[in-house]
Amino acid sequence: MQPSPTFFNRIAPFYGQQWTIEEESRRAAAALVKKLAQLCAGRSVMLEVGCGNGRTLANLPEGMIGLDYSMEMLREARLRAPSARLVLGSATSLPFRRGRVDILVAVNVIHNHDDVSPWLREFRAAAKSLVVDFRNFRSPVVLYKYLKYRNTLAINYHPHYPGRFRRMLRDAGWRDVSFKSVHRPITDPKEGFLLRHVAGWLLSLLPGLSPCYVCCCSGYREES
């Protein structure tokens, strides 16, 4: 079952308050976007798909466009990113001409939906570069969350194996795919110091067990 706009409308004011891996993903993605923005000559069009209540958008370069299918999320995003242009819309039907977007960002959203292959193809049609994250199924922390949420009706949790997600990106037409591992923080500012946070942090440092990867893709070529 896909999470509905109604569900996100209800949780908009407090969504993303916990630190956990989501805040680390936001930081890693924002750093990549800023580097890409520096490489873009002149004025660039930058879009965040699934911008939610603006927690990532607030840390991205000025001039970003934020798109979400939840009106209440966009209302919250306006408070955090007052200079951003906000659009109510769908990830599978972006209101942009082919190749019009220079940098497209999708952070902390892929794992909430079942089949994101149509998303990746739509991103490829609209954008020249992509920054997107996914949850790593090899991580014990992610496996625990997957088992915890798999029978809930409110929200999905769909991790991917790194190799499979790389193939999904390539099948959608993306090239020059690179992965950056995101480690779980050693403590959580909301919960303080807990042994489970330390255990999660130690596990995330092991090769291949990072709970999240942020991917950077590029290589848009105009079709003849």
Side-chain angles (χ1 to χ4, degrees), residues 4 15 31 34 44 66 71 93 97 100 104 110-111 137-138 152 158 165 177 181 191 196-197 207:
S4 67
Y15 183 72
K34 289 174 182 176
S44 57
M71 180 59 75
S93 183
R97 297 193 305 272
R100 181 70 179 88
L104 190 150
I110 288 289
H111 65 279
F137 217 158
R138 290 179 179 156
T152 64
H158 291 280
F165 196 75
V177 179
S181 59
E191 297 181 337
R196 63 185 177 87
H197 295 324

Side-chain angles (χ1 to χ4, degrees), residues 5 7 10-11 16 26 43 52 74 76 86 93-94 96 101 105 113 124 126 129 139 152 155-156 179 197 204 224:
F7 169 75
R10 188 170 67 251
I11 67 172
R26 294 185 192 108
R43 184 176 177 83
L74 292 177
E76 294 292 327
L86 302 178
S93 183
L94 299 177
F96 295 90
V101 178
V105 191
H113 297 269
R124 174 65 173 79
S129 297
S139 165
T152 64
I155 194 167
N156 294 351
F179 284 8
H197 295 324
S204 75
S224 58

Side-chain angles (χ1 to χ4, degrees), residues 44-158:
S44 57
V45 176
M46 297 177 288
L47 168 69
E48 184 187 1
V49 174
C51 67
N53 56 15
R55 293 183 184 275
T56 302
L57 199 60
N59 295 314
L60 295 174
E62 288 193 8
M64 290 288 302
I65 302 169
L67 180 142
D68 203 280
Y69 69 172
S70 163
M71 180 59 75
E72 292 304 316
M73 283 288 191
L74 292 177
R75 293 186 198 279
E76 294 292 327
R78 172 60 65 212
L79 300 177
R80 290 190 172 88
S83 66
R85 174 188 167 195
L86 302 178
V87 178
L88 183 69
S90 168
T92 56
S93 183
L94 299 177
F96 295 90
R97 297 193 305 272
R98 183 174 180 82
R100 181 70 179 88
V101 178
D102 294 290
I103 305 169
L104 190 150
V105 191
V107 182
N108 292 324
V109 63
I110 288 289
H111 65 279
N112 287 335
H113 297 269
D114 298 327
D115 181 14
V116 295
S117 294
W119 292 36
L120 299 178
R121 290 193 294 270
E122 181 71 3
F123 295 170
R124 174 65 173 79
K128 300 172 185 176
S129 297
L130 171 67
V131 175
V132 62
D133 71 335
F134 69 95
R135 301 298 184 265
N136 177 19
F137 217 158
R138 290 179 179 156
S139 165
V141 176
V142 169
L143 177 60
Y144 166 76
K145 290 194 71 174
Y146 170 75
L147 294 174
K148 179 180 178 181
Y149 290 117
R150 65 176 178 171
N151 293 322
T152 64
L153 297 178
I155 194 167
N156 294 351
Y157 194 79
H158 291 280

